[in-house]
Structures are given as C-alpha cells and as structure tokens.
Amino acid sequence: MAYKKILTIQDISCVGQCSLTVALPILSACGNETCILPSAVLSTHTAGFSGFTFRDLTDDIPLIQQHWQKEGIKFDCIYTGYLGSTKQIDYVKNILTTMGAPDCIKIVDPAFADGGKLYPIFDNEYVQAMKPLCGAADILLPNISEACFLTGIEYKEEYDREYIMTLLTALSKLGCKKIVLTGVGYKKGYTGVVVFEDGKCDYYEHERIAKGCHGTGDVYASAFVGALLSGKMVFDSAAIAADYTVECIKVTQGDESHWYGVKFELALPYLIKRLGK
Ligand code: PXL
C-alpha cells in the first residue's frame, strides 16, 4: 500500500480548526506520514476572533531546512497553505523546489482570500509575492477570490463558464501545471470544483449548503492531498474532497456555538471509506 511522506507548510492556529490542526489529522487519517513546518503560531485564526496573538516563524524556516538537508530528508509531496509573512514566501518556494524526492508532487493552496476579500493580515505585496510560489506548483488549489487577486481579473459573485475559463487560462500563465478551482457554482443550490489541465476543464458539481463555514478551504485542500497521495486521480481526488467537505458542513450545521470551523473529525470515517481503506 502507498505510504507517502508529506510535508505541509502552514500556520498553527491553536484554536479554530484550520490550517495545521486540520491538515495533520486529515493527511494522517488518509494513511500518510505527515511532517509539518509551522509558518506562524496564532492563538486562534483571524476570521472572526479579535485580539489573536501572532508569532511569525519566518526566521526559523531556513534553519529547519538546513537541518533537514544535513539529515538527507526528502518528501514525496510538499503542500503549502497559509503563510506567515511576505519574506517567508521565498523560503517556502526554495523548500518546494529543492526538498522533494524524485516525482515529488508540489501543491500550493494560496490561502489568502475569500468572498472577494484578502484575509486580515495580507496586502497587495503579499499577493504579488505569492505569484512565483503559485507558478512553481504542480497543482494549484485556489478559490475564485484568490484566482482574481492572482490574475488581476475582477471578482464576480455571478459568472458563466467563459469567465471561469478566462480566470483559469490567466492563472495557468503563472506556470502551474494543473489547477483545481473551488467554489464554482453555475446554478442555484449547487457549487463545485473545476479541474483544469492542458487547457481543458472538467467540472464536478455538488449540492451547495447555503451557510459558508470557516476552515472549509483547508479541509478541502487537505482531503484532496490525502486522496491524491492515496493513489486517486486528480479529478477523483477533487470530487472526494468536495463530498467530504459537504459531509463536514452537514455534521456541523445547526450548532451555532461552532461558528469558527467544521467538525471534520466526525466525518473522517466517510473520507476513509471513500478512499477504499
Ligand atoms: O483557513 C484559512 C486560514 C488559515 N490560517 C489562519 C486564518 C485563516 C483564515 O482566515 O486566519 C490564521
């Protein structure tokens, strides 16, 4: 059975069910060795909590990398998410391009915007700096907001297939080989993901649960990476991750006190079953 060594680079939000507290359990549950590189440590995520602490770990990154290099450590997959600073992006790009084992799969989730807006700590300088990292990815995992910021194309809440194709074509010019664009819905009550490869699109549509939930981007990306490293094809991984994310939202719905994330742990058995494990 495939047993892959994954490195995921994103923040630790101690409370809030996003980034590493989501990626580590999901990737491990999918049957992979999961190594982590925290980009920053926050007391909570930044979407809805106020007064959070933020410890930037930028200066530790090259030291950690140097130690791994001395030990001869390499990874079968490197998956990056929410990063802690603009300066850090260069370090992370260096890790992405030099720390992979042969056939390493490089996956980048830009993780800096949603609903047409940048997350609180980010600015245009960060977006510009993310472009080369996104370009170095084998698979880029943006939502529509991130795709718009990365390409300079106007953000729209309603759109058609032509708009999505324009976005994907512009994004691919950054250099990434494949793109999985999330949150693409063409009709009421439905949303989906578009898988873009060699100028062609494949669309997986599924039910849309009205309420937007925090952390679902990270749940989606982690499940996608977990499925892919379990040997599923890109399109099947994109579809399984979408269905798992819907399950996570369903098990969370109705609990108003759980506004900050989804109860992804409760749906892990569903994900494992879909992977045939
Ligand atoms: O889910 C993305 C994310 C990750 N990490 C932190 C965040 C967010 C979204 O707001 O604030 C710290």
Side-chain angles (χ1 to χ4, degrees), residues 16-71:
Q17 283 175 314
C18 68
S19 38
L20 280 183
T21 65
V22 164
L24 181 54
I26 292 178
L27 293 170
S28 299
C30 292
N32 307 288
E33 177 182 353
T34 310
C35 309
I36 60 165
L37 179 45
S39 57
V41 180
L42 295 85
S43 50
T44 64
H45 65 57
T46 66
F49 294 100
S50 58
F52 50 84
T53 68
F54 187 101
R55 171 83 54 199
D56 176 14
L57 297 180
T58 300
D59 293 340
D60 291 291
I61 292 178
L63 304 175
I64 291 171
Q65 183 183 8
Q66 280 160 27
H67 181 216
W68 289 347
Q69 280 166 333
K70 254 201 228 146
E71 295 288 339

Side-chain angles (χ1 to χ4, degrees), residues 10-13 17-19 42 44-48 52 54 81-82 111-112 119-122 214-218:
Q10 39 191 316
D11 72 282
I12 295 179
S13 286
Q17 283 175 314
C18 68
S19 38
L42 295 85
T44 64
H45 65 57
T46 66
F52 50 84
F54 187 101
Y82 188 105
F112 61 65
Y119 293 146
I121 69 158
F122 298 130
H214 290 305
T216 47
D218 299 341

